Amino acid sequence: MVSITLDIEPGDQWTEVTRRETNDLPPHVKGTTYWRTSITDLKGGYHVSHQGEEVYIEFINNVLIP
């Protein structure tokens, strides 16, 4: 499986997500997303360009989450 599997509780509580640490998605899943690394890793991970801005994303439970 290429997405992170996460149990998300019902309601309006936040669910903490640990982002993946490696560029491990196959090209047919990534599509137009791209991998970026950073020194602090705070901005590392998958990104897309949306309306001229860089948006951090993750694939959770087989769904793209911005």
Side-chain angles (χ1 to χ4, degrees):
M1 180 173 286
V2 295
S3 69
I4 294 173
T5 301
L6 184 65
D7 292 326
I8 300 174
E9 298 296 326
D12 61 356
Q13 299 297 317
W14 287 94
T15 301
E16 184 175 350
V17 175
T18 302
R19 295 186 308 185
R20 68 185 74 234
E21 297 176 357
T22 59
N23 182 7
D24 59 356
L25 293 175
H28 72 278
V29 173
K30 286 190 268 191
T32 60
T33 66
Y34 54 94
W35 181 261
R36 175 164 289 184
T37 57
S38 73
I39 295 172
T40 64
D41 201 41
L42 294 176
K43 295 187 177 187
Y46 286 105
H47 299 79
V48 293
S49 179
H50 179 69
Q51 297 180 348
E53 292 189 33
E54 192 172 64
V55 179
Y56 308 103
I57 62 167
E58 188 53 82
F59 293 85
I60 300 174
N61 300 347
N62 293 320
V63 176
L64 175 64
I65 307 292

mmCIF file of all heavy atoms in Angstrom, residues 13-53:
data_model
loop_
_atom_site.group_PDB
_atom_site.id
_atom_site.type_symbol
_atom_site.label_atom_id
_atom_site.label_comp_id
_atom_site.label_asym_id
_atom_site.label_seq_id
_atom_site.Cartn_x
_atom_site.Cartn_y
_atom_site.Cartn_z
ATOM 1 N N GLN A 13 -12.126 16.584 16.545
ATOM 2 C CA GLN A 13 -10.799 16.558 17.143
ATOM 3 C C GLN A 13 -9.741 16.376 16.065
ATOM 4 O O GLN A 13 -9.961 15.696 15.068
ATOM 5 C CB GLN A 13 -10.682 15.415 18.167
ATOM 6 C CG GLN A 13 -11.653 15.536 19.319
ATOM 7 C CD GLN A 13 -11.401 16.777 20.140
ATOM 8 O OE1 GLN A 13 -10.268 17.115 20.439
ATOM 9 N NE2 GLN A 13 -12.467 17.477 20.501
ATOM 10 N N TRP A 14 -8.590 17.005 16.269
ATOM 11 C CA TRP A 14 -7.460 16.856 15.347
ATOM 12 C C TRP A 14 -6.870 15.467 15.500
ATOM 13 O O TRP A 14 -6.820 14.916 16.594
ATOM 14 C CB TRP A 14 -6.377 17.885 15.652
ATOM 15 C CG TRP A 14 -6.743 19.268 15.235
ATOM 16 C CD1 TRP A 14 -7.328 20.222 16.012
ATOM 17 C CD2 TRP A 14 -6.563 19.845 13.953
ATOM 18 N NE1 TRP A 14 -7.519 21.361 15.285
ATOM 19 C CE2 TRP A 14 -7.059 21.170 14.016
ATOM 20 C CE3 TRP A 14 -6.028 19.395 12.756
ATOM 21 C CZ2 TRP A 14 -7.034 22.026 12.931
ATOM 22 C CZ3 TRP A 14 -6.009 20.245 11.670
ATOM 23 C CH2 TRP A 14 -6.511 21.546 11.764
ATOM 24 N N THR A 15 -6.389 14.908 14.401
ATOM 25 C CA THR A 15 -5.670 13.639 14.404
ATOM 26 C C THR A 15 -4.259 13.907 13.936
ATOM 27 O O THR A 15 -4.054 14.429 12.841
ATOM 28 C CB THR A 15 -6.348 12.614 13.466
ATOM 29 O OG1 THR A 15 -7.693 12.409 13.890
ATOM 30 C CG2 THR A 15 -5.598 11.294 13.466
ATOM 31 N N GLU A 16 -3.275 13.596 14.779
ATOM 32 C CA GLU A 16 -1.884 13.847 14.422
ATOM 33 C C GLU A 16 -1.446 12.871 13.339
ATOM 34 O O GLU A 16 -1.716 11.675 13.405
ATOM 35 C CB GLU A 16 -0.984 13.686 15.645
ATOM 36 C CG GLU A 16 0.452 14.039 15.357
ATOM 37 C CD GLU A 16 1.330 14.006 16.601
ATOM 38 O OE1 GLU A 16 0.786 13.899 17.706
ATOM 39 O OE2 GLU A 16 2.553 14.082 16.431
ATOM 40 N N VAL A 17 -0.756 13.405 12.337
ATOM 41 C CA VAL A 17 -0.267 12.606 11.218
ATOM 42 C C VAL A 17 1.245 12.703 11.171
ATOM 43 O O VAL A 17 1.805 13.794 11.163
ATOM 44 C CB VAL A 17 -0.848 13.117 9.877
ATOM 45 C CG1 VAL A 17 -0.232 12.367 8.710
ATOM 46 C CG2 VAL A 17 -2.357 13.001 9.880
ATOM 47 N N THR A 18 1.906 11.568 11.159
ATOM 48 C CA THR A 18 3.353 11.536 10.971
ATOM 49 C C THR A 18 3.595 11.393 9.479
ATOM 50 O O THR A 18 3.222 10.383 8.879
ATOM 51 C CB THR A 18 3.983 10.356 11.731
ATOM 52 O OG1 THR A 18 3.649 10.482 13.109
ATOM 53 C CG2 THR A 18 5.492 10.343 11.549
ATOM 54 N N ARG A 19 4.178 12.437 8.893
ATOM 55 C CA ARG A 19 4.408 12.398 7.452
ATOM 56 C C ARG A 19 5.506 11.403 7.106
ATOM 57 O O ARG A 19 6.410 11.153 7.891
ATOM 58 C CB ARG A 19 4.771 13.786 6.936
ATOM 59 C CG ARG A 19 3.624 14.757 7.102
ATOM 60 C CD ARG A 19 3.915 16.072 6.472
ATOM 61 N NE ARG A 19 5.190 16.612 6.919
ATOM 62 C CZ ARG A 19 5.629 17.804 6.583
ATOM 63 N NH1 ARG A 19 4.941 18.564 5.808
ATOM 64 N NH2 ARG A 19 6.780 18.228 7.025
ATOM 65 N N ARG A 20 5.420 10.877 5.917
ATOM 66 C CA ARG A 20 6.432 9.913 5.460
ATOM 67 C C ARG A 20 7.784 10.592 5.329
ATOM 68 O O ARG A 20 7.875 11.805 5.156
ATOM 69 C CB ARG A 20 6.007 9.240 4.164
ATOM 70 C CG ARG A 20 5.976 10.139 2.964
ATOM 71 C CD ARG A 20 5.437 9.424 1.735
ATOM 72 N NE ARG A 20 4.010 9.256 1.863
ATOM 73 C CZ ARG A 20 3.387 8.076 1.756
ATOM 74 N NH1 ARG A 20 4.046 6.990 1.467
ATOM 75 N NH2 ARG A 20 2.100 7.996 1.911
ATOM 76 N N GLU A 21 8.831 9.810 5.422
ATOM 77 C CA GLU A 21 10.189 10.341 5.419
ATOM 78 C C GLU A 21 10.937 10.068 4.131
ATOM 79 O O GLU A 21 12.039 10.550 3.943
ATOM 80 C CB GLU A 21 10.968 9.752 6.595
ATOM 81 C CG GLU A 21 10.380 10.143 7.941
ATOM 82 C CD GLU A 21 11.093 9.487 9.105
ATOM 83 O OE1 GLU A 21 12.019 8.679 8.868
ATOM 84 O OE2 GLU A 21 10.722 9.767 10.245
ATOM 85 N N THR A 22 10.338 9.282 3.242
ATOM 86 C CA THR A 22 11.009 8.949 1.993
ATOM 87 C C THR A 22 10.076 9.144 0.810
ATOM 88 O O THR A 22 8.856 9.068 0.942
ATOM 89 C CB THR A 22 11.514 7.489 1.992
ATOM 90 O OG1 THR A 22 10.390 6.622 2.177
ATOM 91 C CG2 THR A 22 12.535 7.246 3.074
ATOM 92 N N ASN A 23 10.664 9.354 -0.327
ATOM 93 C CA ASN A 23 9.938 9.524 -1.579
ATOM 94 C C ASN A 23 9.625 8.132 -2.115
ATOM 95 O O ASN A 23 10.309 7.615 -2.979
ATOM 96 C CB ASN A 23 10.813 10.321 -2.545
ATOM 97 C CG ASN A 23 10.136 10.588 -3.865
ATOM 98 O OD1 ASN A 23 8.972 10.297 -4.051
ATOM 99 N ND2 ASN A 23 10.884 11.146 -4.791
ATOM 100 N N ASP A 24 8.560 7.512 -1.582
ATOM 101 C CA ASP A 24 8.314 6.104 -1.879
ATOM 102 C C ASP A 24 7.038 5.822 -2.666
ATOM 103 O O ASP A 24 6.654 4.677 -2.823
ATOM 104 C CB ASP A 24 8.300 5.300 -0.583
ATOM 105 C CG ASP A 24 7.234 5.774 0.398
ATOM 106 O OD1 ASP A 24 6.553 6.771 0.109
ATOM 107 O OD2 ASP A 24 7.101 5.148 1.450
ATOM 108 N N LEU A 25 6.398 6.852 -3.178
ATOM 109 C CA LEU A 25 5.201 6.611 -3.986
ATOM 110 C C LEU A 25 5.580 6.379 -5.441
ATOM 111 O O LEU A 25 6.459 7.048 -5.970
ATOM 112 C CB LEU A 25 4.257 7.811 -3.905
ATOM 113 C CG LEU A 25 3.630 8.069 -2.544
ATOM 114 C CD1 LEU A 25 2.820 9.356 -2.584
ATOM 115 C CD2 LEU A 25 2.755 6.910 -2.130
ATOM 116 N N PRO A 26 4.916 5.443 -6.110
ATOM 117 C CA PRO A 26 5.211 5.209 -7.520
ATOM 118 C C PRO A 26 4.706 6.368 -8.374
ATOM 119 O O PRO A 26 3.775 7.081 -7.987
ATOM 120 C CB PRO A 26 4.470 3.909 -7.837
ATOM 121 C CG PRO A 26 3.436 3.773 -6.785
ATOM 122 C CD PRO A 26 3.927 4.508 -5.581
ATOM 123 N N PRO A 27 5.309 6.568 -9.544
ATOM 124 C CA PRO A 27 4.953 7.710 -10.407
ATOM 125 C C PRO A 27 3.469 7.792 -10.745
ATOM 126 O O PRO A 27 2.909 8.876 -10.794
ATOM 127 C CB PRO A 27 5.785 7.490 -11.663
ATOM 128 C CG PRO A 27 6.942 6.674 -11.208
ATOM 129 C CD PRO A 27 6.416 5.794 -10.106
ATOM 130 N N HIS A 28 2.794 6.669 -10.959
ATOM 131 C CA HIS A 28 1.378 6.726 -11.334
ATOM 132 C C HIS A 28 0.496 7.212 -10.182
ATOM 133 O O HIS A 28 -0.609 7.690 -10.408
ATOM 134 C CB HIS A 28 0.895 5.364 -11.850
ATOM 135 C CG HIS A 28 0.750 4.317 -10.800
ATOM 136 N ND1 HIS A 28 1.825 3.588 -10.332
ATOM 137 C CD2 HIS A 28 -0.335 3.889 -10.115
ATOM 138 C CE1 HIS A 28 1.403 2.743 -9.408
ATOM 139 N NE2 HIS A 28 0.103 2.909 -9.256
ATOM 140 N N VAL A 29 0.982 7.150 -8.957
ATOM 141 C CA VAL A 29 0.240 7.659 -7.797
ATOM 142 C C VAL A 29 0.579 9.120 -7.572
ATOM 143 O O VAL A 29 -0.298 9.945 -7.306
ATOM 144 C CB VAL A 29 0.543 6.831 -6.530
ATOM 145 C CG1 VAL A 29 -0.101 7.464 -5.302
ATOM 146 C CG2 VAL A 29 0.089 5.398 -6.715
ATOM 147 N N LYS A 30 1.868 9.458 -7.704
ATOM 148 C CA LYS A 30 2.306 10.834 -7.467
ATOM 149 C C LYS A 30 1.675 11.824 -8.429
ATOM 150 O O LYS A 30 1.351 12.949 -8.032
ATOM 151 C CB LYS A 30 3.831 10.942 -7.571
ATOM 152 C CG LYS A 30 4.536 10.359 -6.392
ATOM 153 C CD LYS A 30 5.985 10.703 -6.416
ATOM 154 C CE LYS A 30 6.795 9.664 -7.100
ATOM 155 N NZ LYS A 30 8.231 9.834 -6.917
ATOM 156 N N GLY A 31 1.525 11.433 -9.663
ATOM 157 C CA GLY A 31 0.957 12.366 -10.640
ATOM 158 C C GLY A 31 1.780 13.639 -10.691
ATOM 159 O O GLY A 31 2.966 13.610 -10.998
ATOM 160 N N THR A 32 1.180 14.788 -10.372
ATOM 161 C CA THR A 32 1.875 16.071 -10.442
ATOM 162 C C THR A 32 2.485 16.485 -9.104
ATOM 163 O O THR A 32 2.991 17.592 -8.983
ATOM 164 C CB THR A 32 0.917 17.180 -10.906
ATOM 165 O OG1 THR A 32 -0.168 17.281 -9.978
ATOM 166 C CG2 THR A 32 0.388 16.892 -12.302
ATOM 167 N N THR A 33 2.430 15.608 -8.107
ATOM 168 C CA THR A 33 3.076 15.948 -6.837
ATOM 169 C C THR A 33 4.585 15.812 -6.976
ATOM 170 O O THR A 33 5.080 15.147 -7.884
ATOM 171 C CB THR A 33 2.610 15.029 -5.701
ATOM 172 O OG1 THR A 33 3.048 13.699 -5.950
ATOM 173 C CG2 THR A 33 1.105 15.062 -5.547
ATOM 174 N N TYR A 34 5.317 16.451 -6.105
ATOM 175 C CA TYR A 34 6.770 16.333 -6.116
ATOM 176 C C TYR A 34 7.284 16.269 -4.681
ATOM 177 O O TYR A 34 6.628 16.711 -3.748
ATOM 178 C CB TYR A 34 7.421 17.486 -6.890
ATOM 179 C CG TYR A 34 7.013 18.864 -6.426
ATOM 180 C CD1 TYR A 34 7.771 19.561 -5.489
ATOM 181 C CD2 TYR A 34 5.868 19.460 -6.927
ATOM 182 C CE1 TYR A 34 7.382 20.818 -5.066
ATOM 183 C CE2 TYR A 34 5.480 20.711 -6.507
ATOM 184 C CZ TYR A 34 6.239 21.384 -5.575
ATOM 185 O OH TYR A 34 5.850 22.623 -5.143
ATOM 186 N N TRP A 35 8.437 15.673 -4.543
ATOM 187 C CA TRP A 35 9.067 15.460 -3.239
ATOM 188 C C TRP A 35 10.040 16.583 -2.957
ATOM 189 O O TRP A 35 10.789 16.995 -3.826
ATOM 190 C CB TRP A 35 9.800 14.129 -3.226
ATOM 191 C CG TRP A 35 10.460 13.831 -1.923
ATOM 192 C CD1 TRP A 35 11.772 13.996 -1.606
ATOM 193 C CD2 TRP A 35 9.846 13.313 -0.748
ATOM 194 N NE1 TRP A 35 12.007 13.627 -0.314
ATOM 195 C CE2 TRP A 35 10.831 13.202 0.238
ATOM 196 C CE3 TRP A 35 8.537 12.945 -0.426
ATOM 197 C CZ2 TRP A 35 10.566 12.721 1.524
ATOM 198 C CZ3 TRP A 35 8.274 12.468 0.837
ATOM 199 C CH2 TRP A 35 9.285 12.363 1.788
ATOM 200 N N ARG A 36 10.015 17.089 -1.765
ATOM 201 C CA ARG A 36 10.963 18.120 -1.355
ATOM 202 C C ARG A 36 11.549 17.730 -0.003
ATOM 203 O O ARG A 36 10.850 17.242 0.865
ATOM 204 C CB ARG A 36 10.261 19.469 -1.237
ATOM 205 C CG ARG A 36 11.213 20.525 -0.703
ATOM 206 C CD ARG A 36 10.704 21.884 -0.922
ATOM 207 N NE ARG A 36 10.785 22.166 -2.355
ATOM 208 C CZ ARG A 36 10.477 23.312 -2.878
ATOM 209 N NH1 ARG A 36 10.048 24.286 -2.123
ATOM 210 N NH2 ARG A 36 10.571 23.514 -4.163
ATOM 211 N N THR A 37 12.839 17.947 0.156
ATOM 212 C CA THR A 37 13.484 17.720 1.445
ATOM 213 C C THR A 37 13.931 19.061 2.009
ATOM 214 O O THR A 37 14.086 20.034 1.291
ATOM 215 C CB THR A 37 14.704 16.794 1.321
ATOM 216 O OG1 THR A 37 15.622 17.366 0.392
ATOM 217 C CG2 THR A 37 14.309 15.413 0.848
ATOM 218 N N SER A 38 14.114 19.097 3.315
ATOM 219 C CA SER A 38 14.598 20.315 3.952
ATOM 220 C C SER A 38 15.533 19.948 5.093
ATOM 221 O O SER A 38 15.517 18.820 5.582
ATOM 222 C CB SER A 38 13.434 21.160 4.481
ATOM 223 O OG SER A 38 12.875 20.562 5.618
ATOM 224 N N ILE A 39 16.314 20.899 5.528
ATOM 225 C CA ILE A 39 17.255 20.652 6.618
ATOM 226 C C ILE A 39 16.503 20.322 7.902
ATOM 227 O O ILE A 39 16.862 19.423 8.638
ATOM 228 C CB ILE A 39 18.178 21.871 6.820
ATOM 229 C CG1 ILE A 39 19.055 22.041 5.577
ATOM 230 C CG2 ILE A 39 19.034 21.719 8.068
ATOM 231 C CD1 ILE A 39 19.863 23.318 5.560
ATOM 232 N N THR A 40 15.441 21.041 8.176
ATOM 233 C CA THR A 40 14.686 20.819 9.417
ATOM 234 C C THR A 40 13.612 19.762 9.264
ATOM 235 O O THR A 40 13.024 19.322 10.237
ATOM 236 C CB THR A 40 14.004 22.117 9.871
ATOM 237 O OG1 THR A 40 13.049 22.490 8.876
ATOM 238 C CG2 THR A 40 15.002 23.221 10.092
ATOM 239 N N ASP A 41 13.314 19.351 8.039
ATOM 240 C CA ASP A 41 12.274 18.390 7.710
ATOM 241 C C ASP A 41 10.873 18.925 8.001
ATOM 242 O O ASP A 41 9.895 18.230 7.830
ATOM 243 C CB ASP A 41 12.488 17.043 8.415
ATOM 244 C CG ASP A 41 11.736 15.941 7.670
ATOM 245 O OD1 ASP A 41 11.756 15.939 6.435
ATOM 246 O OD2 ASP A 41 11.102 15.116 8.331
ATOM 247 N N LEU A 42 10.752 20.162 8.462
ATOM 248 C CA LEU A 42 9.429 20.724 8.694
ATOM 249 C C LEU A 42 8.694 20.966 7.384
ATOM 250 O O LEU A 42 7.475 20.965 7.344
ATOM 251 C CB LEU A 42 9.528 22.034 9.483
ATOM 252 C CG LEU A 42 10.051 21.896 10.905
ATOM 253 C CD1 LEU A 42 10.199 23.275 11.533
ATOM 254 C CD2 LEU A 42 9.135 21.016 11.734
ATOM 255 N N LYS A 43 9.457 21.196 6.325
ATOM 256 C CA LYS A 43 8.835 21.423 5.025
ATOM 257 C C LYS A 43 9.132 20.289 4.059
ATOM 258 O O LYS A 43 8.900 20.420 2.870
ATOM 259 C CB LYS A 43 9.296 22.759 4.455
ATOM 260 C CG LYS A 43 8.826 23.929 5.286
ATOM 261 C CD LYS A 43 9.140 25.239 4.614
ATOM 262 C CE LYS A 43 8.600 26.390 5.445
ATOM 263 N NZ LYS A 43 8.726 27.662 4.762
ATOM 264 N N GLY A 44 9.644 19.181 4.562
ATOM 265 C CA GLY A 44 9.913 18.038 3.712
ATOM 266 C C GLY A 44 8.645 17.259 3.448
ATOM 267 O O GLY A 44 7.696 17.305 4.211
ATOM 268 N N GLY A 45 8.612 16.552 2.345
ATOM 269 C CA GLY A 45 7.462 15.722 2.014
ATOM 270 C C GLY A 45 6.939 16.013 0.630
ATOM 271 O O GLY A 45 7.596 16.651 -0.187
ATOM 272 N N TYR A 46 5.735 15.529 0.376
ATOM 273 C CA TYR A 46 5.112 15.722 -0.931
ATOM 274 C C TYR A 46 4.406 17.062 -0.990
ATOM 275 O O TYR A 46 3.826 17.525 -0.010
ATOM 276 C CB TYR A 46 4.116 14.600 -1.220
ATOM 277 C CG TYR A 46 4.792 13.310 -1.562
ATOM 278 C CD1 TYR A 46 4.841 12.273 -0.648
ATOM 279 C CD2 TYR A 46 5.407 13.133 -2.792
ATOM 280 C CE1 TYR A 46 5.473 11.083 -0.953
ATOM 281 C CE2 TYR A 46 6.047 11.953 -3.107
ATOM 282 C CZ TYR A 46 6.074 10.930 -2.181
ATOM 283 O OH TYR A 46 6.712 9.761 -2.495
ATOM 284 N N HIS A 47 4.469 17.684 -2.174
ATOM 285 C CA HIS A 47 3.871 18.997 -2.409
ATOM 286 C C HIS A 47 3.178 19.009 -3.758
ATOM 287 O O HIS A 47 3.493 18.212 -4.630
ATOM 288 C CB HIS A 47 4.945 20.091 -2.454
ATOM 289 C CG HIS A 47 5.708 20.236 -1.209
ATOM 290 N ND1 HIS A 47 6.733 19.393 -0.852
ATOM 291 C CD2 HIS A 47 5.595 21.137 -0.208
ATOM 292 C CE1 HIS A 47 7.231 19.775 0.309
ATOM 293 N NE2 HIS A 47 6.555 20.826 0.716
ATOM 294 N N VAL A 48 2.260 19.936 -3.905
ATOM 295 C CA VAL A 48 1.674 20.266 -5.206
ATOM 296 C C VAL A 48 1.657 21.773 -5.324
ATOM 297 O O VAL A 48 1.713 22.489 -4.323
ATOM 298 C CB VAL A 48 0.232 19.720 -5.385
ATOM 299 C CG1 VAL A 48 0.208 18.218 -5.433
ATOM 300 C CG2 VAL A 48 -0.694 20.256 -4.322
ATOM 301 N N SER A 49 1.579 22.242 -6.541
ATOM 302 C CA SER A 49 1.423 23.669 -6.781
ATOM 303 C C SER A 49 -0.058 23.921 -7.007
ATOM 304 O O SER A 49 -0.688 23.296 -7.868
ATOM 305 C CB SER A 49 2.232 24.083 -8.010
ATOM 306 O OG SER A 49 2.062 25.459 -8.252
ATOM 307 N N HIS A 50 -0.631 24.810 -6.190
ATOM 308 C CA HIS A 50 -2.054 25.126 -6.297
ATOM 309 C C HIS A 50 -2.236 26.634 -6.291
ATOM 310 O O HIS A 50 -1.879 27.298 -5.323
ATOM 311 C CB HIS A 50 -2.838 24.500 -5.137
ATOM 312 C CG HIS A 50 -4.300 24.804 -5.161
ATOM 313 N ND1 HIS A 50 -5.143 24.289 -6.114
ATOM 314 C CD2 HIS A 50 -5.051 25.581 -4.355
ATOM 315 C CE1 HIS A 50 -6.366 24.733 -5.884
ATOM 316 N NE2 HIS A 50 -6.340 25.517 -4.826
ATOM 317 N N GLN A 51 -2.748 27.160 -7.385
ATOM 318 C CA GLN A 51 -2.959 28.594 -7.545
ATOM 319 C C GLN A 51 -1.687 29.389 -7.240
ATOM 320 O O GLN A 51 -1.707 30.400 -6.558
ATOM 321 C CB GLN A 51 -4.123 29.071 -6.672
ATOM 322 C CG GLN A 51 -5.438 28.446 -7.073
ATOM 323 C CD GLN A 51 -6.599 28.905 -6.224
ATOM 324 O OE1 GLN A 51 -6.431 29.525 -5.176
ATOM 325 N NE2 GLN A 51 -7.796 28.589 -6.669
ATOM 326 N N GLY A 52 -0.570 28.872 -7.725
ATOM 327 C CA GLY A 52 0.712 29.549 -7.575
ATOM 328 C C GLY A 52 1.375 29.380 -6.218
ATOM 329 O O GLY A 52 2.430 29.950 -5.973
ATOM 330 N N GLU A 53 0.788 28.615 -5.320
ATOM 331 C CA GLU A 53 1.373 28.395 -4.005
ATOM 332 C C GLU A 53 1.707 26.923 -3.804
ATOM 333 O O GLU A 53 1.058 26.047 -4.365
ATOM 334 C CB GLU A 53 0.406 28.846 -2.904
ATOM 335 C CG GLU A 53 0.194 30.338 -2.876
ATOM 336 C CD GLU A 53 -0.579 30.753 -1.639
ATOM 337 O OE1 GLU A 53 -0.413 30.108 -0.594
ATOM 338 O OE2 GLU A 53 -1.337 31.721 -1.745
#
